[in-house]
Amino acid sequence: MDQKTGYGRMLQAGHWAHSEFEALAELYGLGAPVPYPVQVNGTERLMEFIGSGGQAAPRLAQVRDDRAVLRDYLDQVIAIM
């Protein structure tokens, strides 16, 4: 991994995926509003789909809405923290 070979980068990506999955599982277990973690396979994480009608929910950074809706989102984030 220190030499940044293709194999080393692959190992790092797998380690990162596992770490992310474990953190998501712990947060979910504690009741945090995060997607349910289903499984991890190599560098891929499978988790609960959040959205409607086949359309994934947007990332918070992509949301463009009125101030009242955005304020509600901010309040939710603050409550989670």
Side-chain angles (χ1 to χ4, degrees):
M1 285 192 258
D2 288 340
Q3 296 174 354
K4 307 289 188 212
T5 64
Y7 181 71
R9 285 192 303 270
M10 182 184 69
L11 287 177
Q12 285 178 318
H15 178 71
W16 180 260
H18 250 334
S19 295
E20 250 185 24
F21 184 83
E22 292 298 321
L24 188 62
E26 184 172 346
L27 288 169
Y28 185 84
L30 292 170
V34 297
Y36 174 74
V38 177
Q39 74 180 47
V40 64
N41 183 12
T43 61
E44 304 298 321
R45 290 151 318 280
L46 180 63
M47 58 188 123
E48 170 188 21
F49 177 78
I50 297 180
S52 62
Q55 178 79 21
R59 292 175 46 225
L60 189 56
Q62 298 169 318
V63 174
R64 303 290 180 257
D65 219 320
D66 64 42
R67 292 181 72 82
V69 172
L70 295 175
R71 181 61 203 199
D72 180 54
Y73 293 161
L74 177 60
D75 290 342
Q76 290 179 46
V77 170
I78 291 170
I80 292 165
M81 300 304 274

